[in-house]
Amino acid sequence: MTAASGQRPLSTGSPVTEQPDEEDVRALFGQSIAVFASLAGPSHLVETANPAFFATIGAHRARTGVPLVELVPELEGQGFLVLLDEVYRTGRSHTGRDVRVLLDAGTHMREAFFDFTYEPRRDTGGGVVGIRVIGVETTQVKHAQRLTAEHRALLEQIARQAPLTEVLDGMARCIENLAPQEVLVSVLLADPDGAHLRHGAGPGLPDFYNQAIDGIATGEGVGSCGTAAHRREPVVVSDIATDPFWDDFRDLADRAGLAACWSTPILARDGSLLGTFAMYHRTPCAPQDSDLALARVFAGTAALAIERHHNEQARRDAETRAAKAHAELAKAMDAERELRAEAEQRATAAAELAARMRAAAAATAAVPHPEHCQLGGTDGCTAPAELKVADAWGDAAWGCHDHAEEALLNVRSAFIANEELGGLAAYINRSPARARPQGQPRTG
């Protein structure tokens, strides 16, 4: 029951006769996981304490016969000693729920939470001679509650399609804040071919370190992350200074103050590689089962976020391709409409020219070779009639070079018919000065 074997409770300066159940209370808490300590006098001298008490404050401080403030000096200023003084002075018990306490100091400092009770110890006359401290550590429960809340918040972020960088950065900070010991988190994302890992998140790591590992290859012996990605299984390096996986990165890790790295692959539901989830430590250490469980939980959460991001990216890419295809189709339809309108215009022009040729053919019966062009339409054409144009139906008309050319282009089966002027040869060899410049409108 007591910290020192065979040691008797120390005297507080005057004989104390406690109530007869005190030894039973001590026996009850002997091997309990609940924290128990019996304090004596106004200085709160630690008379006895069970193993759970010393495990809580640190086994290196397992001794009795000293005031509590001397045994656990970090309690000074946290309010606990003031409460003890009040209980000793008033004789009224005090109970706390989920009370936060910082234990130890320096790099070994840890945050803990307790449900506890301070109960006055009385002598047979009812006077307060000391205090019993009875408590249950709720740190794991508290952390689990916070972890659950943070995890729920991450899932809500994923559900509302928050940016992947925001989700991963928030997840890393959550773990760094919740871990009982200092831990630095890194998330690397696999390239589509799985051959390299890119920076995803690492808010607690130095920028130079994140930049240096951005793009590392996946493969056996390429640090913890490259190896975990290659093996598709967790890789634990408890001492970077001696592990061969870190031969190429040891100096980099030393500059960043990193001594251990546990990496877990992030895998999709089909088993393909999405990235890695790593937990770094400042001192060499091996993971506990709870650490591995935490890594698995958040690696799964990261997988959900990354897969959701990939699916959303694929959807956006598909929408972009569909929009581009729709635009191309609309462009083709516009071109088709323009071609159809042009064809209709040509058909209308051909019909008009054919009508002119029929009208000219009737006029030619009376005047074999008219003086002016007969193909100028309703406005007429005063240019000399130089070429005779005929079609397959026997209709023929005389026209100027411009209107004759228009008839040849627009009237099906139209051809040069006059022989006395050299026919087609005269048309082909016409003077350039008489040819209509491209783009110049016809008259008539």
Side-chain angles (χ1 to χ4, degrees):
M1 179 70 191
T2 57
S5 177
Q7 190 171 10
R8 302 294 298 169
L10 300 182
S11 172
T12 59
S14 61
V16 174
T17 304
E18 297 187 78
Q19 296 176 356
D21 63 347
E22 181 66 21
E23 290 296 331
D24 293 335
V25 172
R26 294 172 180 171
L28 178 63
F29 288 99
Q31 300 301 322
S32 173
I33 61 172
V35 172
F36 171 80
S38 181
L39 310 180
S43 65
H44 313 302
L45 201 72
V46 179
E47 284 191 326
T48 59
N50 69 342
F53 176 85
F54 289 118
T56 297
I57 67 171
H60 61 287
R61 300 193 281 195
R63 59 196 178 100
T64 58
V66 295
L68 182 63
V69 69
E70 182 180 330
L71 188 64
V72 192
E74 63 268 23
L75 294 180
E76 184 75 44
Q78 297 191 53
F80 299 100
L81 299 177
V82 173
L83 288 174
L84 286 171
D85 290 340
E86 184 176 352
V87 172
Y88 188 86
R89 177 176 55 82
T90 64
R92 291 192 298 268
S93 298
H94 175 84
T95 298
R97 294 283 183 263
D98 279 336
V99 179
R100 179 176 180 266
V101 57
L102 296 177
L103 295 172
D104 222 324
T107 58
H108 299 289
M109 180 180 290
R110 74 179 185 94
E111 177 188 61
F113 292 85
F114 289 89
D115 288 346
F116 69 90
T117 297
Y118 292 161
E119 293 184 350
R121 293 168 48 201
R122 301 179 185 274
D123 58 19
T124 54
V128 177
V129 295
I131 298 174
R132 296 191 195 100
V133 177
I134 304 170
V136 176
E137 185 169 357
T138 60
T139 304
Q140 290 184 334
V141 175
K142 192 71 174 179
H143 284 176
Q145 291 172 342
R146 290 169 56 185
L147 177 62
T148 300
E150 294 286 353
H151 192 251
R152 185 185 300 112
L154 288 173
L155 294 178
E156 290 174 354
Q157 278 187 305
I158 296 171
R160 70 169 185 267
Q161 298 179 355
L164 180 61
T165 53
E166 179 182 325
V167 174
L168 296 180
D169 188 78
M171 181 183 73
R173 294 181 187 278
C174 167
I175 299 170
E176 290 175 353
N177 292 334
L178 291 178
Q181 296 178 338
E182 183 182 15
V183 62
L184 305 173
V185 173
S186 168
V187 178
L188 298 179
L189 303 176
D191 278 345
D193 60 3
H196 294 86
L197 298 171
R198 303 293 176 181
H199 174 71
L205 292 167
D207 289 340
F208 74 83
Y209 186 85
N210 286 327
Q211 293 170 7
I213 65 174
D214 184 17
I216 64 168
T218 61
E220 185 69 17
V222 185
S224 300
C225 294
T227 306
H230 173 71
R231 293 181 178 180
R232 302 292 203 275
E233 62 183 29
V235 170
V236 174
V237 172
S238 57
D239 189 355
I240 290 175
T242 60
D243 196 288
F245 287 175
W246 283 79
D247 285 347
D248 296 334
F249 306 96
R250 189 166 290 117
D251 291 342
L252 177 67
D254 184 61
R255 285 176 54 206
L258 306 176
C261 179
W262 318 330
S263 182
T264 302
I266 303 172
L267 303 177
R269 283 169 290 183
D270 61 2
S272 60
L273 180 68
L274 297 175
T276 59
F277 171 85
M279 300 173 70
Y280 291 87
H281 293 265
R282 298 291 189 186
T283 57
C285 57
Q288 303 296 318
D289 290 342
S290 58
D291 296 318
L292 298 177
L294 184 68
R296 287 192 296 268
V297 167
F298 279 94
T301 305
L304 180 63
I306 297 168
E307 280 198 284
R308 185 69 175 265
H309 171 75
H310 287 175
N311 292 339
E312 182 63 19
Q313 186 64 51
R315 183 188 65 80
R316 287 196 295 266
D317 291 345
E319 289 178 350
T320 300
R321 290 193 298 271
K324 183 177 180 180
H326 180 76
E328 292 293 335
L329 177 60
K331 184 178 179 180
M333 292 178 66
D334 289 342
E336 190 271 340
R337 280 193 293 269
E338 291 176 0
L339 290 174
R340 185 182 301 168
E342 184 178 347
E344 291 175 353
Q345 291 175 356
R346 287 182 177 276
T348 300
E352 292 177 355
L353 284 170
R356 293 177 203 167
M357 289 182 66
R358 286 192 296 273
T364 303
V367 183
H369 188 165
E371 181 180 357
H372 299 292
C373 174
Q374 296 176 306
L375 301 176
T378 56
D379 296 334
C381 179
T382 60
E386 298 179 286
L387 293 175
K388 184 179 182 181
V389 182
D391 62 17
W393 292 274
D395 294 325
W398 286 86
C400 65
H401 279 274
D402 285 347
H403 286 109
E405 181 180 0
E406 185 176 3
L408 291 173
L409 292 174
N410 292 286
V411 179
R412 186 176 299 176
S413 302
F415 57 92
I416 302 296
N418 55 315
E419 298 178 357
E420 62 272 37
L421 296 179
L424 182 60
Y427 170 70
I428 294 174
N429 297 322
R430 68 191 186 282
S431 171
R434 296 174 58 188
R436 176 174 53 84
Q438 184 176 6
Q440 178 178 319
R442 298 183 177 91
T443 60

